[in-house]
């Protein structure tokens, strides 16, 4: 499949991808829905009249909204029809859009002139803890190798309810938090700036159609409720977290900010890149079982750019395939109690770490709790993140001569407020 839009083989956004995002431009501050193709954005509000299929002909207004929530709510049949329509319009041999110069001038925007916004109105956000290598690493540091995994870890996808209000789009700065820490276990806690600021490499996904309260979603059907994926950096204040998390888990150390990529890659675009699911032992309970592959070969990298530097030093190369629990299992467990999900709800994988040191998805692991330094290039090293550091997350799937990618997810650390 080839588009009439020129797309480099290194681009994350060929016609095989077509991720959704929300953008505005200097001459039009209205938030609009677009899809990325090469270096351009196709403004769907301009071409909404071209969605004439059996499902979308009566739903064209969803492409004129300021968020993706309405599209997410329509379900799989609408998503597939929208994708087929877009690919058809963008193919090299379709004159409809290709030869209409007036429509093309209105419909296409250069990505580098656009401002990206949160893709959806996120009602709720839940973060899981589903990478076995990450969980083993952290458990080993704090409890020893013999007790690395808690007794429940292989029976259910561990997670916690995060804070949706502090989810921000890529490029938004994040401020180092103040909070309580206890640097020395034998002394009382202190109050002040976080000293152990960290990134967490994650993948996030958006819920489409929800479920009625009291009616759970089974894993075997959960794909019908998953719209697409985005990159995530779930910032973490490790020293604050260590002091506060007992007995109820993450709180202020995690609500300081969560960065997500601007582009949402649909599950249909990702399906060619499935790999075998992680072999699970013991066998999960029936509500968590599904036979189809729902683990994805997404190559992930994290880089750090020091303040004032042009160099981004790669510190992590990992992969979304290193997940013990699948997205379908996470969603099923989230709703097994009858918890009702809604379109635009955001769920996340938890830190993604692989078996090799270079694939560890956080500074906590890369520096092994601060016991060694991490090279970020140009003679600079880190144990944890410093003020002014910019963290750059990127990811893509490699096809034959093309990439299906997510772009970047970036965020720069601002200094903490002065303690009063």
């Amino acid at each position: 499949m080839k588009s009439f839009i020129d797309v480099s083989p290194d681009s994350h956004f060929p016609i095989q991808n077509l991720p959704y995002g929300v953008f505005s431009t200097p001459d039009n501050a209205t938030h609009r829905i677009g899809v990325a193709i090469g270096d351009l954005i196709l403004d769907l509000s301009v071409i909404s009249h071209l969605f004439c299929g059996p499902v979308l002909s009566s739903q064209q207004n969803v492409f004129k909204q300021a968020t993706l929530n309405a599209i997410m709510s329509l379900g799989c049949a609408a998503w597939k029809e929208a994708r087929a329509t877009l690919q058809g319009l963008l193919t090299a041999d379709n004159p409809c859009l290709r030869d209409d110069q007036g429509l093309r001038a209105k419909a296409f925007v250069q990505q580098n002139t656009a401002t990206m916004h949160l893709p959806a109105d996120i009602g709720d956000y839940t973060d899981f803890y589903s990478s076995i290598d990450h969980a083993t690493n952290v458990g080993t540091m704090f409890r020893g190798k013999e007790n690395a995994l808690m007794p429940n870890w292989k029976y259910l996808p561990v997670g916690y309810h995060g804070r949706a209000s502090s989810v921000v789009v890529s490029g938004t700065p994040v401020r180092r938090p103040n909070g309580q820490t206890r640097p020395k276990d034998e002394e009382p806690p202190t109050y002040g700036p976080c000293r152990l600021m960290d990134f967490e490499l994650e993948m996030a996904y958006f819920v489409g159609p929800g479920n009625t309260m009291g009616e759970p979603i089974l894993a075997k059907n959960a794909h019908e409720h998953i719209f697409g994926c985005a990159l995530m950096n779930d910032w973490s204040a490790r020293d604050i977290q260590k002091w506060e998390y007992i007995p109820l888990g993450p709180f202020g150390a995690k609500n300081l900010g969560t960065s997500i990529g601007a582009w949402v890659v649909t599950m249909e675009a990702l399906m060619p890149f499935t790999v075998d699911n992680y072999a699970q032992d013991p066998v999960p309970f029936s509500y968590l079982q599904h036979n189809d592959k729902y683990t994805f070969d997404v190559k992930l990298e994290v880089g750090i750019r020091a303040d004032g530097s042009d160099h981004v030093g790669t510190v992590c190369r990992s992969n979304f395939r290193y997940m013990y629990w699948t997205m379908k299992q996470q969603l099923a467990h989230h709703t097994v109690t009858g918890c009702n999900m809604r379109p635009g709800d955001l769920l996340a994988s938890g830190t993604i770490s692989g078996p090799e040191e270079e694939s560890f998805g956080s500074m906590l692991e890369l520096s092994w709790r601060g016991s060694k330094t991490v090279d970020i290039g140009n003679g600079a090293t880190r144990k944890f993140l410093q003020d002014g550091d910019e963290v750059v997350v990127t990811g893509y799937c490699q096809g034959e001569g093309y990439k299906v990618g997510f772009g970047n997810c970036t965020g720069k650390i601002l200094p903490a407020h002065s303690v009063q």
Side-chain angles (χ1 to χ4, degrees):
M1 187 179 297
K2 185 174 176 59
S3 174
F4 64 83
I5 301 295
D6 185 34
V7 179
S8 163
D10 291 327
S11 172
H12 282 200
F13 308 125
I15 195 171
Q16 291 88 349
N17 190 354
L18 304 182
Y20 290 90
V22 171
F23 73 102
S24 61
T25 49
D27 62 343
N28 185 351
T30 303
H31 291 199
R32 292 104 77 193
I33 295 170
V35 295
I37 176 75
D39 296 328
L40 303 176
I41 299 173
L42 176 58
D43 186 339
L44 301 193
S45 70
V46 175
I47 63 161
S48 61
H49 61 286
L50 299 179
F51 291 90
C52 300
V55 179
L56 293 174
S57 58
S58 62
Q59 301 285 348
Q60 293 174 350
N61 193 54
V62 301
F63 300 106
K64 298 179 180 180
Q65 304 302 308
T67 67
L68 292 170
N69 294 68
I71 296 175
M72 292 174 176
S73 72
L74 295 181
C76 293
W79 305 339
K80 290 181 179 180
E81 186 178 295
R83 177 174 171 80
T85 299
L86 287 166
Q87 285 188 323
L89 288 170
L90 289 166
T91 52
D93 58 357
N94 187 336
C96 177
L97 190 54
R98 183 195 66 195
D99 296 347
D100 190 332
Q101 296 301 319
L103 184 57
R104 283 183 62 170
K106 295 178 182 177
F108 287 103
V109 171
Q110 290 286 339
Q111 283 190 37
N112 60 10
T113 67
T115 299
M116 302 304 297
H117 307 280
L118 279 176
D121 181 6
I122 302 169
D124 284 296
Y125 160 50
T126 300
D127 192 26
F128 286 92
Y129 187 58
S130 292
S131 163
I132 192 168
D133 293 294
H134 173 67
T136 300
N137 288 339
V138 174
T140 299
M141 287 181 213
F142 291 96
R143 292 185 299 273
K145 194 170 184 178
E146 312 75 33
N147 300 305
L149 294 181
M150 299 299 283
N152 64 351
W153 201 91
K154 288 190 173 182
Y155 285 90
L156 55 84
V158 174
Y160 71 94
H161 294 293
R163 181 71 184 178
S165 66
S166 53
V167 178
V168 295
V169 73
S170 171
T172 306
V174 173
R175 188 171 295 278
R176 182 183 297 271
N178 287 309
Q180 291 189 30
T181 62
R182 194 182 186 188
K184 297 182 180 180
D185 291 342
E186 65 276 7
E187 296 180 6
T190 61
Y191 171 68
C194 158
R195 295 179 179 85
L196 307 182
M197 189 74 171
D198 203 353
F199 67 81
E200 290 187 359
L201 169 63
E202 303 197 23
M203 292 291 293
Y205 57 102
F206 283 96
V207 174
N211 58 305
T212 302
M213 185 174 176
E215 300 296 328
I217 298 169
L218 298 179
K220 64 182 181 181
N221 302 322
H223 59 278
E224 298 172 0
H225 300 264
I226 300 175
F227 176 75
C229 292
L231 297 173
M232 175 179 280
N233 174 7
D234 198 20
W235 304 89
S236 185
R238 297 295 185 185
D239 46 353
I240 294 174
Q241 185 172 359
K242 180 186 175 184
W243 172 236
E244 75 175 2
Y245 85 102
I246 297 172
L248 294 181
F251 186 38
K254 299 298 299 178
N255 67 18
L256 61 104
T258 300
S259 300
I260 64 169
W263 295 108
V264 183
V265 178
T266 64
M267 298 315 299
E268 192 171 357
L270 292 175
M271 289 310 294
F273 305 99
T274 56
V275 294
D276 290 338
N277 300 328
Y278 206 104
Q280 296 177 330
D281 182 21
V283 175
F285 289 107
S286 58
Y287 76 96
L288 290 170
Q289 294 177 14
H290 65 92
N291 295 323
D292 56 321
K293 294 180 181 181
Y294 216 73
T295 299
F296 298 87
D297 182 11
V298 183
K299 304 176 193 302
L300 298 166
E301 288 191 6
V302 181
I304 298 174
R305 178 189 285 114
D307 193 22
S309 173
D310 294 329
H311 176 75
V312 179
T314 300
V315 297
C316 167
R317 291 183 176 89
S318 194
N319 198 298
F320 194 29
R321 70 191 302 163
Y322 298 138
M323 303 303 298
Y324 187 89
W325 296 104
T326 69
M327 290 180 280
K328 294 178 66 164
Q329 291 174 317
Q330 291 169 347
L331 184 55
H333 187 65
H334 201 315
T335 66
V336 69
T337 57
C339 174
N340 53 314
M341 309 299 294
R342 295 173 294 187
D345 282 354
L346 185 69
L347 282 70
S349 61
T351 304
I352 302 168
S353 295
E356 306 299 330
E357 185 173 345
E358 75 159 8
S359 62
F360 293 172
S362 66
M363 294 299 287
L364 177 68
E365 296 165 272
L366 291 166
S367 73
W368 205 254
R369 206 178 175 186
S371 64
K372 53 187 176 181
T373 58
V374 179
D375 183 10
I376 66 168
N378 289 342
T381 61
R382 295 286 187 274
K383 292 184 177 180
F384 289 91
L385 299 173
Q386 297 182 7
D387 292 346
D389 283 349
E390 181 182 29
V391 177
V392 181
V393 180
T394 190
Y396 65 91
C397 306
Q398 183 63 60
E400 293 188 16
Y402 68 93
K403 294 178 179 178
V404 169
F406 296 81
N408 290 340
C409 177
T410 66
K412 188 172 184 177
I413 301 172
L414 302 179
H417 289 298
S418 298
V419 174
Q420 301 297 320

